Amino acid sequence: MTELFADVIMPLSVPKLLTYRVPREQFNDVFPGGRVIVQVKRKLYTGIVRRLHSEVPVGYSAFYLVSSLDTEPIVDEVQMQFWDWLSEYYMCSPGDVLNAALPGHLRLSSDTVVVPVDGMEYPENLPPKEEAIYMALQQKGSLSIAEVEKLLNQITVMQHINRLIKKGLVAVKEEIRESYKPKMETYIELSPSVSEASIGEVLDILEKKAPKQVDVLMRYLHLGKPFSEQKSEVSKPKLLKDLEGGDSALKSLEKKGIVVLYEKEIGRFGFSADVQPISELSENQQNALQEIESIFTQKPVVLLKGVTSSGKTEIFIRLIENSFESKNEVLYLLPEIAITAQIISRLQKVFGRKVMVYHSRLSANERVDVWREMIQRRSEGEKVILVGPRSALMLPFRDLGLIIVDEEHDPNFKQMDSPRYHARDAAIWLASKVGAKVILGSATPSVESWHNAKEGKYGLVQLSERFGGAVMPDIQISDIRELTKKKMMKSLFSPMLLDAIKETTESGRQVMLFQNRRGFSSGVECQSCGWIPQCVHCDVSLTYHRGGGQLRCHYCGYATVVPTTCGTCGETQIRTIGFGTEKVEDELAIYFPNLKIGRMDLDTTRSRIAYDRIFTSFSSGEMNVLVGTQMISKGLDFANVGLVGILNADTMLGFPDYRSFERGYQLMVQVSGRAGRRNKPGKVIIQTKNPSHPVIQWVIAQDFDSLIQHEFTERQLYNYPPFARLINFTLRHPDSRKLDDAAAAFAFQLREVFGNRVLGPAYPNIPRIRNQYNVCLMLKIEKNASYSQAKLRIKKVIDAFKASAHRSNYVMVEVDG
């Protein structure tokens, strides 16, 4: 072969792969699935080789790639086919998929580095800032732009660097910096010069002059057993634990040549070796398991609809065990990190070190470690259960036998940044590619999954009874509109709810209170004129957070102090409006000062250990009441919860979204299901201003069938999923007038192809976010139409639009909206 070319997936939002020449001396070092360093516009990036070939690019001369990084592929062919499908189906660039799939520390890119020019004499009369840069370079040899900014304590530094370049004193270059650092630990071994015959003499000599060294050596001999068949290496932390003066004594032993110290890479994750036998299934669970296994012989996907606390997780555990008989890998997908701690604990009790976890709260180094550990265990044929949210779907699986999608209805399975994929649907495609089975679990399945099950596309298994004979909770309604008129409300709480909290906690049981808004209040307003502070970057009011006394934007992060005077009329009467979880926690403490109250929302769970701390405190009974957002509604199993309070059901039902009834029902049923688990009856109190609302009546009756019948009728009538497919478009620009013109032109081009299937353009509820205005359009495509052909036509429209005078407008595409 005279020439070799590599098609490379770049970590950039470019529509196609870039082709590079492979230097002849690297022919054997470059392979599909391996990382290579390539140059784009003077900057270096790490890409993944997709394909090697000898086809000379037409119309341009390919650059040479710089170097290769790996000795073996880090991404296999199945993964890359999965990436291809994600890019094609969800209409995004291959680079967007790569960025979502690979841990950040595996995606290297270059930094601009300032270096001194060799052979230049020390300059005189340099300005102070240029002299500071020059002197620092003489000491360190090179400086990144960030280091220069820190040195000068200013953001704009290029003018100083450019002056030094013109004087011939410095140059700039691009340099790849490896971010990943493996975790290393020091280990100790006995020196080869010390034998079993001579160790006694060594100890005698040390005992007279260095008793501390004797203590260290004796502990090593006890832990390491160097002269026995069961000898093992000893880590430094283990050896020196609780040994005063041990570190200096160990250094002395090393200097004397008695022991040898060396560094060894270790994993960042500890695994429990203790496992417990799998629990016995009830008769209902056993029947469901047999039915699932039977359906799997005919269909690859089964929907398991089981009421809350029916024991779906125990069935999943049996399915994992059965899958391990033929395959080595299982993927257990959860909607968000908040519920992984409890599920992981349950799985580890059964499967021990087979369980691994992957999510965004792991450090960047830990995510790389999980990736590498997956490849290592796979090569050794070890069984693995990978637990995580949607990002876990991107890990390097090769022997995948089962995918469990728990709480399959949850909207968090849809990624809202490119690639805008739905993990449930992507999991089903991946499973079909590798021959794995998929089990979808939920007490409140999505309308789309239920439709697929009823149409025979998926198998369907139902569990209609709670495990252990537990009864469903008693759901009661508190009409807060009437209570407010009669002035009977106690702050945020109805008398019924306060009485129930008192009765429940006095009986030794626990309470969960649900309010799907974080912060202290919706915002603040002037009592005189009604002025409400707005975000300076977004068209949204600022949320008041009592902790820190700030008004914050939940869209862009902007924060400011609470104003003391009105921004419009100058009045000083500023009051809070609405309420969030922070206010619920504070107000409840006024009525029940002796109760231990905790809160679970985004603000209290930003650190990884925060979840465990809250779970442990509540599950152990240290906490009496847990206040939370939708985090507390998903899959959590607390045995002692006697009461669930939904403080404002109406906020879940008024969204201008065709899924609002479905989502409202799912949230209320899920959070209600936390009450009365095991054999203790539970109660749910729903506070609402509209007790006759159909969704609330369906929740009281646990009437999923009526919800589905209503949704099927409405969606078929108005052509919404699952009876049609939706593709949403969002156009974005900082200038609203330019955006309006662009949206009108884009809508016209779409209608030329798709006619009245196009709805919009229209501004969303929040038109401006992060100083960018947004306009939305919707395309409805008939279920029996060719989806792939429609996407090809859409791509042509978008390409033409990007080539027009409106190309400065960003176009976002959301498939299956």
Side-chain angles (χ1 to χ4, degrees), residues 20-236:
Y20 287 86
R21 269 190 172 85
V22 181
R24 184 171 296 279
E25 63 272 16
Q26 295 187 38
F27 274 17
N28 296 327
D29 300 328
V30 178
F31 37 78
R35 293 177 300 164
V36 291
I37 296 175
V38 296
Q39 186 171 345
V40 179
K41 291 185 178 179
R42 296 195 301 174
K43 189 172 177 64
L44 300 178
Y45 293 93
T46 304
I48 298 286
V49 176
R50 180 67 186 92
R51 187 173 72 100
L52 291 174
H53 57 86
S54 57
E55 303 158 17
V56 180
V58 178
Y60 67 95
S61 178
F63 292 109
Y64 282 100
L65 59 83
V66 178
S67 64
S68 62
L69 290 173
D70 302 308
T71 57
E72 60 182 18
I74 65 165
V75 181
D76 63 26
E77 179 60 25
V78 171
Q79 271 182 286
M80 289 193 288
Q81 289 179 20
F82 183 43
W83 292 6
D84 292 343
W85 177 81
L86 287 170
S87 174
E88 180 184 350
Y89 186 86
Y90 289 103
M91 301 186 70
C92 61
S93 73
D96 290 338
V97 179
L98 183 149
N99 285 326
L102 277 188
H105 279 4
L106 291 179
R107 305 190 309 267
L108 309 181
S109 60
S110 63
D111 287 335
T112 301
V113 178
V114 185
V115 295
V117 174
D118 293 336
M120 296 299 296
E121 294 184 4
Y122 182 79
E124 296 182 1
N125 302 321
L126 277 179
K129 291 189 176 181
E130 292 177 32
E131 183 178 23
I133 297 171
Y134 185 83
M135 295 303 295
L137 285 171
Q138 299 307 307
Q139 294 178 358
K140 296 190 66 175
S142 67
L143 293 170
S144 69
I145 298 299
E147 288 171 329
V148 176
E149 290 171 353
K150 186 175 181 181
L151 175 70
L152 301 185
N153 193 27
Q154 66 182 71
I155 297 175
T156 55
V157 297
M158 285 309 298
Q159 68 268 35
H160 307 297
I161 294 171
N162 288 333
R163 291 191 195 108
L164 288 170
I165 292 172
K166 288 179 181 179
K167 294 172 183 177
L169 298 173
V170 304
V172 294
K173 66 177 184 178
E174 293 295 309
E175 184 177 280
I176 289 284
R177 296 195 176 189
E178 175 68 76
S179 300
Y180 171 70
K181 291 182 174 61
K183 186 176 182 180
M184 308 298 290
E185 198 163 276
T186 303
Y187 279 79
I188 295 93
E189 278 188 355
L190 205 61
S191 172
S193 63
V194 179
S195 65
E196 187 173 4
S198 64
I199 189 66
E201 184 180 343
V202 171
L203 288 169
D204 288 341
I205 296 171
L206 292 175
E207 190 171 16
K208 297 173 184 177
K209 297 181 179 180
K212 292 281 187 186
Q213 294 173 35
V214 173
D215 291 343
V216 173
L217 188 54
M218 287 298 293
R219 178 175 284 189
Y220 167 76
L221 293 172
H222 172 70
L223 294 172
K225 299 182 176 63
F227 307 118
S228 67
E229 293 182 1
Q230 294 84 27
K231 70 176 183 176
S232 61
E233 56 190 358
V234 180
S235 69
K236 183 178 176 182

Side-chain angles (χ1 to χ4, degrees), residues 156-362:
T156 55
V157 297
M158 285 309 298
Q159 68 268 35
H160 307 297
I161 294 171
N162 288 333
R163 291 191 195 108
L164 288 170
I165 292 172
K166 288 179 181 179
K167 294 172 183 177
L169 298 173
V170 304
V172 294
K173 66 177 184 178
E174 293 295 309
E175 184 177 280
I176 289 284
R177 296 195 176 189
E178 175 68 76
S179 300
Y180 171 70
K181 291 182 174 61
K183 186 176 182 180
M184 308 298 290
E185 198 163 276
T186 303
Y187 279 79
I188 295 93
E189 278 188 355
L190 205 61
S191 172
S193 63
V194 179
S195 65
E196 187 173 4
S198 64
I199 189 66
E201 184 180 343
V202 171
L203 288 169
D204 288 341
I205 296 171
L206 292 175
E207 190 171 16
K208 297 173 184 177
K209 297 181 179 180
K212 292 281 187 186
Q213 294 173 35
V214 173
D215 291 343
V216 173
L217 188 54
M218 287 298 293
R219 178 175 284 189
Y220 167 76
L221 293 172
H222 172 70
L223 294 172
K225 299 182 176 63
F227 307 118
S228 67
E229 293 182 1
Q230 294 84 27
K231 70 176 183 176
S232 61
E233 56 190 358
V234 180
S235 69
K236 183 178 176 182
K238 184 178 180 181
L239 179 67
L240 301 184
K241 184 179 180 182
D242 302 325
L243 203 61
E244 189 176 346
D247 194 45
S248 58
L250 181 62
K251 289 177 182 176
S252 298
L253 288 172
E254 184 185 22
K255 287 180 181 177
K256 292 173 181 176
I258 297 171
V259 298
V260 177
L261 275 63
Y262 58 93
E263 292 288 306
K264 178 182 175 181
E265 182 180 344
I266 62 171
R268 287 184 163 85
F269 307 101
F271 302 97
S272 171
D274 299 326
V275 296
Q276 301 173 2
I278 296 178
S279 303
E280 290 294 322
L281 298 182
S282 69
E283 183 179 351
N284 285 337
Q285 288 174 320
Q286 187 63 45
N287 291 338
L289 176 63
Q290 291 174 356
E291 196 174 348
I292 291 168
E293 293 283 9
S294 174
I295 294 173
F296 272 157
T297 63
Q298 306 165 36
K299 297 176 182 178
V301 183
V302 174
L303 173 62
L304 174 61
K305 179 185 181 294
V307 297
T308 54
S309 193
S310 57
K312 294 185 288 296
T313 304
E314 296 302 323
I315 295 175
F316 295 156
I317 287 172
R318 290 300 181 106
L319 288 168
I320 292 169
E321 186 184 44
N322 295 346
S323 178
F324 277 162
E325 293 178 5
S326 58
K327 294 283 188 175
N328 287 334
E329 295 169 339
V330 172
L331 174 59
Y332 198 128
L333 288 176
L334 294 161
E336 64 178 287
I337 302 164
I339 62 176
T340 58
Q342 198 170 47
I343 292 294
I344 290 164
S345 176
R346 292 177 72 176
L347 292 175
Q348 283 182 332
K349 287 177 181 177
V350 177
F351 297 106
R353 77 179 303 274
K354 293 185 181 73
V355 180
M356 299 180 66
V357 61
Y358 186 84
H359 54 67
S360 60
R361 294 294 173 93
L362 298 178

Side-chain angles (χ1 to χ4, degrees), residues 584-770:
V584 175
E585 182 184 22
D586 282 6
E587 295 286 304
L588 191 64
I590 296 172
Y591 291 97
F592 300 100
N594 297 323
L595 293 184
K596 178 77 179 294
I597 304 168
R599 176 163 53 94
M600 180 185 285
D601 54 28
L602 185 61
D603 298 316
T604 62
T605 56
R606 293 189 185 276
S607 69
R608 187 172 41 170
I609 61 171
Y611 292 112
D612 292 335
R613 186 177 66 248
I614 295 170
F615 284 138
T616 301
S617 179
F618 194 68
S619 60
S620 66
E622 293 177 19
M623 193 185 294
N624 306 108
V625 182
L626 180 61
V627 179
T629 57
Q630 61 179 344
M631 286 183 177
I632 68 171
S633 71
K634 301 171 184 179
L636 301 180
D637 185 15
F638 297 113
N640 199 36
V641 175
L643 173 68
V644 167
I646 299 174
L647 295 178
N648 191 350
D650 307 303
T651 58
M652 292 177 270
L653 303 173
F655 289 105
D657 187 323
Y658 72 92
R659 289 192 178 99
S660 64
F661 276 24
E662 176 191 5
R663 296 270 168 84
Y665 176 87
Q666 288 166 343
L667 261 178
M668 282 188 269
V669 169
Q670 290 287 340
V671 74
S672 298
R674 303 313 110 202
R677 302 170 87 87
R678 309 296 190 272
N679 57 356
K680 301 176 183 178
K683 181 187 289 187
V684 178
I685 294 177
I686 300 176
Q687 295 189 163
T688 175
K689 296 177 181 177
N690 189 5
S692 61
H693 194 289
V695 173
I696 291 175
Q697 292 302 312
W698 297 332
V699 171
I700 295 171
Q702 298 282 310
D703 190 355
F704 181 75
D705 290 341
S706 291
L707 168 77
I708 287 294
Q709 184 179 353
H710 173 274
E711 291 299 295
F712 278 5
T713 302
E714 292 284 307
R715 297 189 190 189
Q716 196 163 19
L717 179 63
Y718 296 106
N719 213 24
Y720 279 100
F723 304 102
R725 285 170 159 156
L726 298 186
I727 297 181
N728 293 324
F729 305 91
T730 301
L731 274 65
R732 189 173 296 157
H733 198 278
D735 188 324
S736 61
R737 288 174 298 179
K738 289 183 179 179
L739 179 63
D740 288 339
D741 293 341
F746 186 69
F748 177 79
Q749 292 174 28
L750 275 178
R751 286 194 175 94
E752 280 194 317
V753 179
F754 296 103
N756 60 7
R757 298 178 185 86
V758 180
L759 303 179
Y763 277 93
N765 289 335
I766 303 172
R768 184 175 60 109
I769 297 176
R770 297 186 179 93

